[in-house]
Amino acid sequence: MASLATECAGDQGAWWEFHDYYFEGPGRDAYTRDGAVAVAAEFGLDTDQFGQCMDDQAHLDLIYDQHTDAVSRGLSSTPTILVNGERGPTSADALIELVKELAEG
């Protein structure tokens, strides 16, 4: 539900807002269709459009494909950062260093 809500929010330019909201661990009601619509209203989204997206499950194939890809790579937790197709470091400092190394060639 959170993934679907986040993708539907993305249709209206609020992907990151929903990502952050769900990542912070909202109350149980946010994981229902009506709860997600209420969150959309809080963020000022068009709730009719958002609700229709949720009802149509417009992004379910994308979510399924992303999940299948992650499982096939042995990934089982979020967030996970891939660098050149490999699991990247988990700390920001280590990731920055890795990117610098890769940029230098």
Side-chain angles (χ1 to χ4, degrees), residues 29-53:
D29 291 344
Y31 293 98
T32 65
R33 181 227 185 258
D34 291 342
V37 171
V39 174
E42 289 177 28
F43 283 111
L45 304 183
D46 178 328
T47 55
D48 289 336
Q49 178 185 340
F50 183 87
Q52 189 64 52
C53 179

Side-chain angles (χ1 to χ4, degrees), residues 33-94:
R33 181 227 185 258
D34 291 342
V37 171
V39 174
E42 289 177 28
F43 283 111
L45 304 183
D46 178 328
T47 55
D48 289 336
Q49 178 185 340
F50 183 87
Q52 189 64 52
C53 179
M54 294 291 289
D55 293 343
D56 292 345
Q57 298 184 338
H59 300 287
L60 202 55
D61 287 343
L62 170 68
I63 294 163
Y64 179 77
D65 290 346
Q66 290 172 337
H67 174 75
T68 301
D69 181 55
V71 169
S72 73
R73 294 173 185 257
L75 306 176
S76 60
S77 63
T78 59
T80 299
I81 297 172
L82 298 178
V83 178
N84 293 334
E86 300 292 326
R87 187 185 296 246
T90 56
S91 77
D93 290 339

